[in-house]
Amino acid sequence: MSKIEKTIARQQEKISEGQFYEAHQQLRVVASRYVKSSNWSAAIDILHGGALALLKAGQGGSGGDLGLYLLDVYVKGDIPVRAEEKGKLLAILRAFPPDEPTKKRFVGDMVAWSARFGDYENGDPELNHVAGTLYAESGSRLKYNYLEILMLSGPFSDSEPYDAERHLAMGTKDSPEQLARVEYEWYTQDESHTAALYAARAIFPYLLIGNLRSANKAHLIFTSRLSASNKALGVQEVSSKSSDVRIYPSLPLLNFLGLVLLAIQRGSADLYRQLTKHYAPYIKEVGIWDEALAHIGEQYFGIKIPRQGNPLFDMMGSMFFGGAGGPPKPDKAKPKKVEGPAPPTPDLD
């Protein structure tokens, strides 16, 4: 057994005896010595093992403190983002008690480290996906309606819905399924006519960062669950040579979201204008989609919009792009053309 392994074993024994404070302090002291000598690997092993032992013993504050110290070592030691380093962090993250306040800061520092030393400016997709999934699972145990989720969504929010959405939006190819699933679960706790409001929260974030594939996947999963769980819901299948569309006569805004996705695939600015005009009364009732739709129009169809501030969209810009001002601009001024099936006519509610 190595010296480090013996140190961890001794402190684990103290932890098992309930001497949490002593173990926490001694682990910190030993790790600090290794940090001063730039022995990063030894400091990492000490902090990782100690954080896990304390968290598993239910000591969220002490375990979280060592986890934060570990991330500080990652930064000081210029540790790159590799599978081993991510594995250590994810093991600690999964060991956090659900309501431990330190977890939110740990997640933030973890994603920030991966953005600084990895290949993704918004943080490593796997780390974002796991964090978002854990927040979603925690949020699923709570009862939220759409207004509550909206009110809880903000840059200073500690709510599970907000944290789940913002991390899953920057996750992996598996994240759209998770986000659509949790939005649907929240929808089932609300009125039946609010389906599109929840679906949009799984679709718009991906569109605003240019991820059409994930937006389509989120839409498909949400609507498939909706149809499967509501046999009495009137659904019309409209087919053409190039596309198949589900139409919900009682849910016009859900139809609008699906048609917008098809319009993006076609790259038709005229069709997008027709859709937003046709569904304008319903969009107006929602009251918070205008800014997002304007940016989608500019990003995918080249429809220019005046630059003006909006608190909600500034928050979304900060959340998804690291600063206010909306989504990244298209590379060219002309509309973005994405090959795909032509959308059906927009006169279907």
Side-chain angles (χ1 to χ4, degrees):
M1 183 179 292
S2 68
K3 182 179 179 181
I4 294 175
E5 290 173 333
K6 290 179 180 178
T7 299
I8 296 175
R10 283 197 302 269
Q11 301 312 315
Q12 285 179 331
E13 184 176 350
K14 288 187 177 181
I15 292 171
S16 65
E17 295 172 352
Q19 300 180 49
F20 305 121
Y21 178 80
E22 292 81 357
H24 172 241
Q25 291 301 306
Q26 290 185 23
L27 285 165
R28 250 193 167 279
V29 169
V30 174
S32 296
R33 290 173 183 166
Y34 286 122
V35 169
K36 288 179 180 179
S37 62
S38 297
N39 188 341
W40 308 117
S41 61
I44 288 170
D45 287 342
I46 289 288
L47 292 169
H48 171 247
L52 276 180
L54 285 165
L55 288 170
K56 290 178 180 178
Q59 300 301 301
S62 297
D65 175 69
L66 294 185
L68 291 170
Y69 193 1
L70 172 62
L71 281 163
D72 186 51
V73 171
Y74 274 15
V75 173
K76 288 180 178 178
D78 293 330
I79 306 300
V81 180
R82 297 172 297 202
E84 181 180 358
E85 284 72 26
K86 290 195 297 182
K88 285 183 169 65
L89 297 179
L90 291 178
I92 291 173
L93 176 59
R94 291 188 175 101
F96 268 99
D99 300 326
E100 169 54 44
T102 315
K103 182 173 73 171
K104 187 177 181 71
R105 182 183 167 192
F106 179 83
V107 170
D109 287 1
M110 174 181 73
V111 172
W113 160 75
S114 70
R116 180 175 175 181
F117 295 96
D119 299 326
Y120 302 89
E121 62 177 335
N122 293 306
D124 182 81
E126 182 185 6
L127 298 181
N128 272 307
H129 175 75
V130 174
T133 299
L134 292 174
Y135 279 127
E137 291 173 353
S138 179
S140 294
R141 293 192 290 269
L142 304 174
K143 299 294 184 181
Y144 291 109
N145 61 35
Y146 182 75
L147 180 59
E148 289 170 335
I149 291 176
L150 181 62
M151 295 299 291
L152 288 169
S153 296
F156 305 106
S157 173
D158 291 322
S159 74
E160 287 83 359
Y162 172 74
D163 290 321
E165 289 169 339
R166 71 191 184 99
H167 286 294
L168 288 172
M170 295 299 173
T172 68
K173 61 182 178 61
D174 297 319
S175 297
E177 181 174 1
Q178 177 65 42
L179 182 53
R181 183 186 67 79
V182 73
E183 294 290 355
Y184 185 80
E185 289 180 6
W186 288 328
Y187 158 64
T188 60
Q189 300 166 20
D190 210 334
E191 300 295 329
S192 60
H193 67 274
T194 62
L197 305 182
Y198 290 89
R201 293 185 74 91
I203 295 169
F204 283 167
Y206 292 117
L207 289 181
L208 291 170
I209 61 173
N211 191 342
L212 178 59
R213 182 189 298 272
S214 290
N216 275 309
K217 185 175 181 180
H219 175 263
L220 176 61
I221 291 169
F222 189 97
T223 54
S224 296
R225 297 195 68 169
L226 178 67
S227 299
S229 303
N230 298 270
K231 300 298 185 182
L233 184 65
V235 182
Q236 301 172 3
E237 300 286 345
V238 179
S239 300
S240 67
K241 292 182 179 180
S242 56
S243 64
D244 296 307
V245 181
R246 288 175 177 168
I247 298 298
Y248 301 84
S250 62
L251 300 171
L253 279 177
L254 195 59
N255 300 332
F256 171 72
L257 292 174
L259 293 171
V260 164
L261 291 170
L262 286 172
I264 292 173
Q265 291 176 359
R266 180 61 182 250
S268 171
D270 289 339
L271 178 54
Y272 185 72
R273 290 190 182 96
Q274 292 174 30
L275 287 171
T276 53
K277 181 179 179 180
H278 180 76
Y279 287 94
Y282 304 105
I283 296 170
K284 184 177 180 180
E285 288 183 8
V286 176
I288 60 169
W289 284 10
D290 291 348
E291 198 77 13
L293 292 173
H295 280 269
I296 289 170
E298 182 177 69
Q299 183 174 351
Y300 292 96
F301 304 105
I303 303 173
K304 295 299 181 182
I305 57 175
R307 293 299 174 188
Q308 56 186 8
N310 178 282
L312 174 64
F313 200 80
D314 286 346
M315 175 276 290
M316 294 176 68
S318 177
M319 179 171 72
F320 294 126
F321 312 110
K329 297 179 181 179
D331 293 334
K332 299 181 180 179
K334 64 181 182 180
K336 182 185 292 186
K337 180 68 176 292
V338 183
E339 293 298 326
T345 55
D347 58 350
L348 294 170
D349 290 336

